Amino acid sequence: MASPLSNGAERGSLVVVRTVDEVTSETFVRITADGSVTAYNGHVDLGTGIRTALGQIVAEELDVSFARVVVVLGDTADVPNQGATIASETIQITAVPLRKAAAQARHFLIARAAERLELPPSDLKIEDGLVRGHNRSVSYGELIGSEVIRLELADDVQVKAVSDYAIVGQSMPRVDLPAKATGELTFVHDVRVPGMLHGRVVRPPYAGVDAGPFVGTSLIAVDESSVRDVPGLVAVVRIGDFVGVVAEREENAIRAAEQLKVSWRPTPALTDLADVENALRANPSTPRTLIDKGDVDAAISGAAKPMQRTYVWPYQMHASIGPSCAVADFQDGDIRVWSGTQNPHVLRSDLALLIERPESEVEVIRLEAAGCYGRNCADDVSADALLLSRAVGRPVRVQLTREQEHTWEPKGTAQLVDVNGGLDADGGIAAYDLATRYPSNAAPTLALLLTGRISPEPAVLQMGDRTAIPPYDYDHMRVVAHDMPPIVRASWFRGVSALPNTFAHESYIDEAATEAGVDPVEYRLRYLKDPRAVDLVNAVAERAGWTPRPVREEKDGEIVHGRGFAYALYVHSKFPGYGAAWSAWVADVSVNKTTGAVSVTRVVAGQDSGLMINPDGVRHQIQGNVIQSTSRALMEEVSFERGAVAAREWGAYPIIPFPDVPKIDVLMLPRQDLPPLGVGESASVPSAAAIANAIFDATGVRFREPPFTPERILKGLHGEASPAPQALPAPAAPQLSRIWENPFAKRTGIFAAIAAVCTAAIGLGAALLPGRAIAPIARPDAAVYSAATIARGQQLAALGNCAECHTTINGKVNAGGRALQTPFGTIYSSNITPDVETGIGAWSYPAFERAMREGLHRDGRQLYPAFPYTHFARTSNADMQALYAYLISQPAVRATAPANELAFPFNLRPLLAGWNALFHDTKEFKPDPAKSEAWNRGAYLVESLGHCSACHSPRSALGAEQRNAYLAGGFAEGWEAPPLTSLSQAPIAWSEDELFAYLRSGQSRYHGVAAGPMAPVVRDLKALPDQDIRAMAVYLGSFTEAATDAPALAAKLENATKVTIAASTGARLYHGACAVCHEVGGLPLFGSRPSLALNSNLHSATPDNLVQVILHGITEPVSSDLGYMPAFSNSMSDAQVEELVTFLRQQFAPDKAAWTGVRETIARVRSSTH
Amino acid sequence: MTQTPIRLTVNGRIHDVMAERQTPLLYVLRNDLGLNGPKYGCGLGECGTCTVLIDGAAARSCVVPISGCAGRDIVTLEGLGSRDKPDAVQHAFIDEQAAQCGYCLNGMIMTTKALLAINPQPSEQEALAALRYNLCRCGTHVEILRAVMRASGQLAEASD
Ligand code: FES
Ligand code: FES
């Protein structure tokens, strides 16, 4: 397809226009002298394929080939203003003038050809724009020539008879797919404008709420200094509650948005949405009677069997797969916005209002976006981009984050439908009195609210009435829509209020049929008067092999099957509206009564869409609607915390995955002789009711509130006391020392005790006080050491992880200054490069050795035991020399570390001498002759420079390793260093081979990957030869009894812990966020695939490491081969992480007690810097 | 801060990229290399829209920093084929009309590519499991599954 032509003057052209006023006209069709055809439509393609269908309509009426037609959608400079693309109107309504315009052009051209060829029009035939007659021909292009022809769109244009259609009604491949399948530019996300910058917005804390006096007035301050270090930062923009950042590079805009410190006023208490039904009942409303027929009140009071029912629909998301994106270029008098909007003209007005410029200065250029199925954040982000572009005077692209799209997209609202009525003595519907509450409006463009350009008073729209009147001809019927403002930000979503209203109609009539003992299809047919409806219902029942079921059959067994029917004529647009396609479903389900899992196994979806422009396109739409609405009925519900939207990623708001998609049998009634109807939504409308009716058929229980999650099904089947799997109560867990974390939190009086002990110890250690200074020397010459010695020293430095503590992030190696958090305060590591003034350049070997063995600075000051000299003391002389040689051979860096920040009494260094006297043994390592050479080698490496037990042993209140608990597990930097002895909680005991694999590669198949502070340790160990790693493995392996048949045990554990259903928030989070990389047997992805059933962290006594990786991810693995893990701290709330952690523990370590204090751990880890 | 360029091989061509090492590959592919195939969907590895092949395996480029890609072979949707010469998988997706909005399409094609590389004739069950963590909101699953079957030359077995 050629690119759209500009609207400028060409050599010659024919246009069909509609004059709006003296200066404005709208073009529908343009044919140019080269024979190409461009069609303009004010609606946009939301992924439904209307571009293709409109092209077919124009090609048909013009008698040109489909390939010749270019369809331009939604560019405000070019296309007619036809309002928003909503309510399945495009084909039904907005295509009408387009069809007429094309037909009008053909009539004009044929008349001209008749003149030119001197033949009567009836003798002429047209084939792809070539008019023929009596062996002569002339093309449209030739007929136009250099003339500029302008036709005013006429009303009474003769369009083609359907029987003459050759292009319309034929299945046509979508014109946009080749580009999309090969990565050509089609999406607004792919727009790149020269000089374009990248923006991100920071949204207020009242997540997803857009009405109330706090909207636009909650910002206190933005601390620009918090992002000063972000490279390429161009601007921080704030207007009211609108906050955004602009940077040269996208990743830096992301970083700035995350890092920016913004303070907000506390949001006042929001409506609690834990109980949607009552929240909606309490929401102020105005009743509007849509129909009142017969005598409803009398009929109800006279009913033989009263039936009062309430149906509750949950909040749901449009959940576009691509978060919204836009590019804006603000130039004086020429403002362009590339947008994925549904309604370019409405957006243009909003943008003009936002920036207080005339509409004529603003052009909205519409590109495709991810499917939206209603109003998502496409307009919001366009306004955001415009504000940021205006602030910096350059084009800016803004991409919303997944979290922002989830949180702020106008939700498909919750809805409450009460039906009162009952059966008369004959089992017929005595009366039908329906009240519906739909708290939703058009969701004003967010920036208008955040900047205070419009009032945050919510508008009340009349949109709860869609399909609110049932399709059944009940004698006594009243329907009232209670119009109400939104509670959280909400706007139309596929099916609008018709889907919940139909859920009520179609559930109620099913319930009535059951009560009456009549087959539900037959019962419906008694009340259906519309012949097309009757035809469809019969056709679908027949196709599905529906067998009459006047009485529900009891089903036995754990898994029960059922089948349900539902029908709808989707009535949309302003009340009373008009119908789109007719739709009916037969759904088959199976329900597992033990787990509560429902699966929709098959759907027969029938539709009468009138003339189908592109039958394949209609089929795809039906299938898409069936899948999406099945997803909505089974699993979709927005979660809230304190009234704000809590679901920020796909684990908290799951949508249907491939394996759960039902088999779909589409039945399309041939109605090519009747006017075309919208097909974008109709097939969704019967969904939930058909499924609920099928679940009833299977279980005998009515479910009146989707989604039909396992929890809800179990509750329905077994009542409140449903056997939800519960974690075992936790026995008292062995308390590991958290001394390196926060000893003061729990231990009262420890402070005084430490001081007293140390003071007492000073007496013992008095002889050591003060350390004598060792004279400085001129910087030693490394040349006196052999290359082999220096190389050996380098390995030893790696073994000792010197650089890890002595280097700041992104700093020069070993130049010191890294802050080490200890329970006693912050210690800054020293510079150990050979700089004479600030490093160890003036240190003689004896001074170095004394520091390493005794913890004394060259000048005699005591060093803090965060520096593990208690281990280094064991280093052999030869190794100590090699290490010295290596360090002094390195480049000198001038750098002074900040002063330590220690609390009294720890700031008194001399006290540490007392500490040394108590806890430090300066003896060199002595091999054990009874053990193998490898063992002794390993012991030496582990205990001396390797200093493994510095982290892996618990520490006393005074920060000393507990000698009687060697390698029994400890804590470092907020991470648990698990026990390496028989106390290990690993489900498969460590073997020498697994220790070797882990220390060598950072990964053990049976334990997981090295993360946190262990990752740099393993990375450093790369410098050591295999032999040394093997020796360490031999030594460490000697503390445990290796598992005998690890592979079999692993398989057993993995099989026993397979996650088959998602029956809790935690399980859903796992499915959405974790399983893609952690599920056993999943498609191999780049990186490793740690098995959670075997992972030590899930079996540990404390949840710390698990919480660490969930919140902070793994950004620096031992090697890139292991892959990376994203951080979820910005995507999940504490409550969600707690649910997830609790689930993971219960699922993957079922023999272990539930963790206690998970919430506190999450809070602590979240606030830590790692 | 001084930066050393990171060398990436993408679709057979070498690029020296000046960006911080932690930058997710996705942004470099899109912004520095001007590629449209990989798309931002979640940034958390959850949805699959950003999928590329790294050393032949499917990779979620939103969670892989460029530092982890040096010396590796990266292929994006553009590297498979073009409109005139689509790769077999792209061809199958076009033939089956396996997209509505098409935002998920990149991930579906790239994941299928990775699947077929290790399992040239997957069963329907295997295909469903392999695509389990690629999300599609439009409900194009039926057409996508058919496309996988077509691409692996076993459409006859695909049930409607
Ligand atoms: S964007 Fe990468 S997986 Fe969603
Ligand atoms: S086609 Fe739209 S998300 Fe898959």
Side-chain angles (χ1 to χ4, degrees), chain A residues 818-830:
Chain A
R818 167 144 179 210
L820 305 172
Q821 310 295 339
T822 78
F824 316 113
T826 305
I827 295 175
Y828 291 91
S829 61
S830 55

PDB file of all heavy atoms in Angstrom, chain A residues 818-830:
ATOM      1  N   ARG A 818      33.823   3.261  49.946  1.00  0.00           N
ATOM      2  CA  ARG A 818      32.517   2.612  49.932  1.00  0.00           C
ATOM      3  C   ARG A 818      31.974   2.564  51.363  1.00  0.00           C
ATOM      4  O   ARG A 818      32.662   2.192  52.294  1.00  0.00           O
ATOM      5  CB  ARG A 818      32.665   1.195  49.371  1.00  0.00           C
ATOM      6  CG  ARG A 818      31.438   0.367  49.617  1.00  0.00           C
ATOM      7  CD  ARG A 818      31.105  -0.583  48.514  1.00  0.00           C
ATOM      8  NE  ARG A 818      29.904  -1.329  48.894  1.00  0.00           N
ATOM      9  CZ  ARG A 818      29.644  -2.556  48.513  1.00  0.00           C
ATOM     10  NH1 ARG A 818      30.493  -3.183  47.724  1.00  0.00           N
ATOM     11  NH2 ARG A 818      28.548  -3.160  48.904  1.00  0.00           N
ATOM     12  N   ALA A 819      30.730   2.947  51.488  1.00  0.00           N
ATOM     13  CA  ALA A 819      30.101   2.961  52.804  1.00  0.00           C
ATOM     14  C   ALA A 819      29.690   1.545  53.174  1.00  0.00           C
ATOM     15  O   ALA A 819      29.019   0.864  52.407  1.00  0.00           O
ATOM     16  CB  ALA A 819      28.882   3.866  52.780  1.00  0.00           C
ATOM     17  N   LEU A 820      30.104   1.100  54.331  1.00  0.00           N
ATOM     18  CA  LEU A 820      29.709  -0.220  54.803  1.00  0.00           C
ATOM     19  C   LEU A 820      28.821  -0.004  56.010  1.00  0.00           C
ATOM     20  O   LEU A 820      29.230   0.597  56.998  1.00  0.00           O
ATOM     21  CB  LEU A 820      30.941  -1.035  55.194  1.00  0.00           C
ATOM     22  CG  LEU A 820      32.016  -1.174  54.110  1.00  0.00           C
ATOM     23  CD1 LEU A 820      33.259  -1.828  54.674  1.00  0.00           C
ATOM     24  CD2 LEU A 820      31.475  -1.994  52.948  1.00  0.00           C
ATOM     25  N   GLN A 821      27.588  -0.482  55.895  1.00  0.00           N
ATOM     26  CA  GLN A 821      26.662  -0.305  57.011  1.00  0.00           C
ATOM     27  C   GLN A 821      26.934  -1.419  58.014  1.00  0.00           C
ATOM     28  O   GLN A 821      26.865  -2.581  57.674  1.00  0.00           O
ATOM     29  CB  GLN A 821      25.206  -0.396  56.523  1.00  0.00           C
ATOM     30  CG  GLN A 821      24.872   0.470  55.335  1.00  0.00           C
ATOM     31  CD  GLN A 821      24.971   1.955  55.629  1.00  0.00           C
ATOM     32  OE1 GLN A 821      24.916   2.375  56.787  1.00  0.00           O
ATOM     33  NE2 GLN A 821      25.153   2.763  54.592  1.00  0.00           N
ATOM     34  N   THR A 822      27.254  -1.043  59.230  1.00  0.00           N
ATOM     35  CA  THR A 822      27.395  -2.044  60.277  1.00  0.00           C
ATOM     36  C   THR A 822      26.430  -1.643  61.373  1.00  0.00           C
ATOM     37  O   THR A 822      25.930  -0.522  61.382  1.00  0.00           O
ATOM     38  CB  THR A 822      28.827  -2.069  60.856  1.00  0.00           C
ATOM     39  OG1 THR A 822      28.970  -0.965  61.749  1.00  0.00           O
ATOM     40  CG2 THR A 822      29.879  -2.007  59.761  1.00  0.00           C
ATOM     41  N   PRO A 823      26.183  -2.552  62.281  1.00  0.00           N
ATOM     42  CA  PRO A 823      25.238  -2.207  63.353  1.00  0.00           C
ATOM     43  C   PRO A 823      25.772  -1.073  64.210  1.00  0.00           C
ATOM     44  O   PRO A 823      25.036  -0.467  64.972  1.00  0.00           O
ATOM     45  CB  PRO A 823      25.137  -3.482  64.171  1.00  0.00           C
ATOM     46  CG  PRO A 823      25.885  -4.518  63.461  1.00  0.00           C
ATOM     47  CD  PRO A 823      26.654  -3.926  62.363  1.00  0.00           C
ATOM     48  N   PHE A 824      27.034  -0.824  64.080  1.00  0.00           N
ATOM     49  CA  PHE A 824      27.645   0.167  64.973  1.00  0.00           C
ATOM     50  C   PHE A 824      27.721   1.538  64.318  1.00  0.00           C
ATOM     51  O   PHE A 824      28.138   2.510  64.912  1.00  0.00           O
ATOM     52  CB  PHE A 824      29.030  -0.318  65.405  1.00  0.00           C
ATOM     53  CG  PHE A 824      29.016  -1.774  65.777  1.00  0.00           C
ATOM     54  CD1 PHE A 824      29.680  -2.727  65.022  1.00  0.00           C
ATOM     55  CD2 PHE A 824      28.260  -2.195  66.876  1.00  0.00           C
ATOM     56  CE1 PHE A 824      29.615  -4.069  65.359  1.00  0.00           C
ATOM     57  CE2 PHE A 824      28.201  -3.544  67.214  1.00  0.00           C
ATOM     58  CZ  PHE A 824      28.880  -4.488  66.459  1.00  0.00           C
ATOM     59  N   GLY A 825      27.355   1.576  63.042  1.00  0.00           N
ATOM     60  CA  GLY A 825      27.404   2.840  62.320  1.00  0.00           C
ATOM     61  C   GLY A 825      27.959   2.596  60.929  1.00  0.00           C
ATOM     62  O   GLY A 825      28.123   1.453  60.496  1.00  0.00           O
ATOM     63  N   THR A 826      28.226   3.684  60.228  1.00  0.00           N
ATOM     64  CA  THR A 826      28.728   3.553  58.866  1.00  0.00           C
ATOM     65  C   THR A 826      30.248   3.674  58.868  1.00  0.00           C
ATOM     66  O   THR A 826      30.810   4.615  59.434  1.00  0.00           O
ATOM     67  CB  THR A 826      28.130   4.643  57.969  1.00  0.00           C
ATOM     68  OG1 THR A 826      26.718   4.559  58.069  1.00  0.00           O
ATOM     69  CG2 THR A 826      28.551   4.471  56.529  1.00  0.00           C
ATOM     70  N   ILE A 827      30.846   2.692  58.223  1.00  0.00           N
ATOM     71  CA  ILE A 827      32.301   2.722  58.094  1.00  0.00           C
ATOM     72  C   ILE A 827      32.614   2.911  56.613  1.00  0.00           C
ATOM     73  O   ILE A 827      31.972   2.293  55.767  1.00  0.00           O
ATOM     74  CB  ILE A 827      32.915   1.386  58.589  1.00  0.00           C
ATOM     75  CG1 ILE A 827      32.652   1.223  60.080  1.00  0.00           C
ATOM     76  CG2 ILE A 827      34.394   1.308  58.273  1.00  0.00           C
ATOM     77  CD1 ILE A 827      33.099  -0.112  60.626  1.00  0.00           C
ATOM     78  N   TYR A 828      33.578   3.774  56.306  1.00  0.00           N
ATOM     79  CA  TYR A 828      33.975   3.947  54.910  1.00  0.00           C
ATOM     80  C   TYR A 828      35.282   3.215  54.692  1.00  0.00           C
ATOM     81  O   TYR A 828      36.231   3.379  55.468  1.00  0.00           O
ATOM     82  CB  TYR A 828      34.109   5.434  54.573  1.00  0.00           C
ATOM     83  CG  TYR A 828      32.759   6.113  54.579  1.00  0.00           C
ATOM     84  CD1 TYR A 828      32.260   6.705  55.736  1.00  0.00           C
ATOM     85  CD2 TYR A 828      31.957   6.107  53.440  1.00  0.00           C
ATOM     86  CE1 TYR A 828      31.008   7.296  55.759  1.00  0.00           C
ATOM     87  CE2 TYR A 828      30.701   6.692  53.450  1.00  0.00           C
ATOM     88  CZ  TYR A 828      30.229   7.293  54.611  1.00  0.00           C
ATOM     89  OH  TYR A 828      28.975   7.859  54.626  1.00  0.00           O
ATOM     90  N   SER A 829      35.305   2.406  53.649  1.00  0.00           N
ATOM     91  CA  SER A 829      36.507   1.618  53.408  1.00  0.00           C
ATOM     92  C   SER A 829      37.649   2.537  52.998  1.00  0.00           C
ATOM     93  O   SER A 829      37.440   3.637  52.478  1.00  0.00           O
ATOM     94  CB  SER A 829      36.247   0.576  52.326  1.00  0.00           C
ATOM     95  OG  SER A 829      35.895   1.218  51.123  1.00  0.00           O
ATOM     96  N   SER A 830      38.876   2.063  53.241  1.00  0.00           N
ATOM     97  CA  SER A 830      40.035   2.918  52.993  1.00  0.00           C
ATOM     98  C   SER A 830      40.583   2.690  51.584  1.00  0.00           C
ATOM     99  O   SER A 830      40.237   1.731  50.907  1.00  0.00           O
ATOM    100  CB  SER A 830      41.103   2.615  54.036  1.00  0.00           C
ATOM    101  OG  SER A 830      41.383   1.233  54.001  1.00  0.00           O
TER     102      SER A 830
END
